[in-house]
Amino acid sequence: MLASCLVGFQNEFHIEGCKKLSLHKKTVLLKHLFKLKYNLLPSSDMLTRLRILIKGVVQGVGFRPFIYRAATEKGLKGYVKNLGDGTVEILVEGKDGILKSFIDDIHLRRPPLSKIYDLKIEEVDAEPPLPTFTILESSKTGFESGSIIPADVSICNNCLQELYNPNDRRYRYFFITCTDCGPRFTAIEEMPYDRPNTTMAEFPMCKECRREYTDPLNRRFHAQTIACSICGPKVFLADKRGEIIDCRDPIEEAAKLIDEEMIVAVKGNGGFHLAVATTNPTPILRLRRSKHRAQKPFAIMAKSIEVIKTFAEVSKKEEELLLSHIKPIVLLKKSSNYYLAEEIAPGLHNIGTMLPYTALHSLLLNATKEPALIMTSANPSGEPIIIDNKEAITRLNSEVDYFLLHNRKIAHRCDDSVVKFIDDKPSLIRRSRGYAPEPVELKFQPKESVLGLGGELNVTSCINVAHRAYLTQHIGDIEHHNTYLFLKDAIKHLTRLIRAKISKVACDLHPAYLTTKLAEEMVQEQNLQLIKVQHHHAHITSVMAEYGLDEAIGISVDGAGYGADGTIWGGEVLYCTYNQYRRLAHLQLHQLPGGDLATKYPIRVAAAILSHSNRHKEWLSSVAHKLPYGEKEAEVILKMIEQKRNPKTSSCGRVLDAISAILGICYERTYEGEPAMKLEAAAQNGEDVLKVAPVIKGNILETSIIVEQILDNLKRYHIKDLAYSAEEYLAKGLAELAINQAEELKVKSIALSGGVAYNQHITTTIRNLVKGAQRIFYTNMLVPPGDGGISLGQVAAACYI
């Protein structure tokens, strides 16, 4: 009798416990054990019947059609079907040698978008007889947890070729998809992944689509989003009142309107975008006024990679990601011959660029005369991206001229992902479309499921099932009620998809965050354990969780986080394990005159920093006209500083803001990170002309020193060199603090996280200094180093508490 087999080798053979083995050696060992195990199957002419359960990303990726073809090629009998818990069940009968080959195929020839987490095999009774192999109707039953549907997949090359082939029946059809591409996460209502459980349920297949759907040799065999112009969703153009415009080709007409300086709201797979020309400042400025978005950069969508290279520098890694099935927004450096409107990303050296990821986008871009179009999320400031036609018409009619709509419902909103490359390594700014809800693999085995709720800005939530951590799509800033409701819905949906049984809720230490209040409500209502995790500790544990570190010296640098001592932290060097941390060093404390107003107007922070040397009065008087209320406001700021009753902060972000103000780069923050981002842009191609050695007193890096030096040398050096010198000072000082502590505590790993980690110069400098000190440098790659990765760190910390 064939013994029950479990291909979950990490657990069964304790591969994950072999810490001294490299990843490559673990993989080789895993394959050897797999072959060894299945060679134990007896070789005979007897028929064996196996039941196989596969957990992972195995629904919505063409897995059942693949299994059907693999089984029928080998003459095996049985069935394959989806289960309601996201797993795939296979019943297969055949000779032992052929079964071994079939199982090999599952691992070696599986669809490229699929992922196998666990594969369980058991021998079952060979009754009743199996006449053939077939795909059975899905079952809503299933008791496994942890399987997940894939993220949305951008249009594949095969569908693109058909889209522009006049002889193909889907020629120019805006919703062309197949088993390899199309909406997944944004289209599914519930598991299992079958058409009746998706937003395609209301579009019955026509005869020809049904034929393709049932043809094992067809690329659309069991493609749940299969459709054509006869039976599928329809696209149409409407004016700002929602009245449908009769035209031959709505997409071509929309492109013409954009070329004529119109703003068009475009419905995609995960929500609406606002589309505007990129070479004409007039509609861009109108869009800025309507969205109350004076300076924040817009993302653009370009026709092709060749077009992108005409206005931006593109590395090999950046090109690979732009062309991948994810197709996120990638922050690219503007080239020397950049010719798009400066109003797209004012004061910045880079531009967020993506390629068309749906047929509708491709048709629109190819119909316009523009090289690229602005494609910015269509949502009122601070609210979630809009997904409903009626809501879009009601809420956007004062901002847009026309709507390019379709009649397929969006099940779940999902913003575009954003990535920046630093030293040829991806740094996620927003992890959403193309990534969510697929998990991050933890390097340890938690005993229970934890929900991490994130912070207050750029929120995601995270739930682990065993050693896999599933993050929601990007939620945003939850200060707005609708975004708060979106967060609750996203948590509910993710919990249901992965069938998690949550026992703990982790949140930020800040008592006023809405996520903290939500955690406290959930604990009361569901009798869960509440774990509060300090903000900067969570930043570092997010890095540790990615790499499987047991301990690290953490450099946690951002704008703000609630400190254990009641002050506002943001320039921290911590010793971290998962369940505890110690604050070892930090940046110099400064006042925040007016509290939150100081984060909006960096002149206030700059004055507070200069007050250490009593130089703030003269400088503040010289820039008072840049304040909203001029000299009167300056007088109030001076009194606040003298009274010393303001909140205090060690924030690295606030120091960068202050330097930005002193250099005259940015006097008002109109979007998150603006002064520091514009400072980084100004520092491009600069050099360290000041060469100020870090001044460290009692494990505190003095930052007033560099601010004063910047002020003293305003007329002597170019702004780019002063900006570069400031970043260099902070990077060297933070690295020195961390290296000193690592040497003293004999810790090998130094981890960098927080929003300041997006600064390429600072990150690269710290990385090089850490490596030069014979320490190992780590930073986030799978989740954002900014607050979008906090939820993973919270989960990792709470698993050990």
Side-chain angles (χ1 to χ4, degrees), residues 1 78 90 121 202 254 308 336 368 470 597 728 744 760:
M1 176 68 75
I90 304 168
I121 304 173
E202 59 189 270
I308 292 174
S336 57
T368 180
Y470 301 82
L597 278 175
E728 185 82 358
E744 184 177 332
Q760 182 158 358

Side-chain angles (χ1 to χ4, degrees), residues 161-180:
Q161 290 176 5
E162 293 171 344
L163 182 67
Y164 292 106
N165 180 1
N167 298 318
D168 193 277
R169 75 184 197 89
R170 291 186 176 83
Y171 175 59
R172 297 188 63 79
Y173 179 54
F174 85 101
F175 194 67
I176 185 172
T177 66
C178 68
T179 53
D180 295 327

Side-chain angles (χ1 to χ4, degrees), residues 5-9 12 34 37-38 107 117-121:
C5 299
L6 169 64
V7 185
F9 287 112
E12 185 174 350
F34 177 82
K37 185 161 194 172
Y38 285 104
H107 284 273
Y117 299 156
D118 292 297
L119 188 151
K120 296 179 181 178
I121 304 173

Side-chain angles (χ1 to χ4, degrees), residues 433-473:
R433 175 186 56 79
Y435 293 94
E438 295 184 14
V440 173
E441 297 276 337
L442 302 176
K443 306 301 189 294
F444 56 90
Q445 289 284 343
K447 296 178 180 178
E448 50 198 340
S449 290
V450 178
L451 165 64
L453 290 174
E456 187 84 342
L457 304 178
N458 297 312
V459 169
T460 64
S461 284
C462 177
I463 307 170
N464 77 292
V465 174
H467 64 286
R468 293 185 178 89
Y470 301 82
L471 278 77
T472 64
Q473 69 271 48

Side-chain angles (χ1 to χ4, degrees), residues 153-227:
V153 185
S154 65
I155 185 169
C156 68
N157 289 332
N158 287 329
C159 282
L160 271 176
Q161 290 176 5
E162 293 171 344
L163 182 67
Y164 292 106
N165 180 1
N167 298 318
D168 193 277
R169 75 184 197 89
R170 291 186 176 83
Y171 175 59
R172 297 188 63 79
Y173 179 54
F174 85 101
F175 194 67
I176 185 172
T177 66
C178 68
T179 53
D180 295 327
C181 68
R184 296 295 191 268
F185 174 69
T186 59
I188 190 167
E189 304 274 16
E190 60 178 334
M191 299 291 262
Y193 179 72
D194 285 309
R195 195 180 185 92
N197 294 332
T198 72
T199 55
M200 290 300 290
E202 59 189 270
F203 300 100
M205 284 179 264
C206 66
K207 183 178 179 181
E208 190 61 22
C209 283
R210 174 64 64 180
R211 183 192 64 77
E212 294 171 330
Y213 182 85
T214 55
D215 179 3
L217 300 179
N218 193 284
R219 198 174 85 254
R220 294 184 173 87
F221 181 47
H222 274 259
Q224 304 306 320
T225 56
I226 188 172

Side-chain angles (χ1 to χ4, degrees), residues 16-17 19 23 26 440-446 467-468 544-550 578 782 800:
E16 282 302 322
K19 296 178 182 177
L23 180 61
K26 286 182 185 178
V440 173
E441 297 276 337
L442 302 176
K443 306 301 189 294
F444 56 90
Q445 289 284 343
H467 64 286
R468 293 185 178 89
M544 293 168 61
E546 283 193 32
Y547 295 94
L549 308 178
D550 294 326
Y578 289 106
L782 303 180
Y800 278 85

Side-chain angles (χ1 to χ4, degrees), residues 570-584:
E572 312 307 312
V573 175
L574 311 172
Y575 169 76
C576 294
T577 61
Y578 289 106
N579 62 351
Q580 62 180 345
Y581 72 94
R582 291 204 315 272
R583 191 187 195 196
L584 304 173

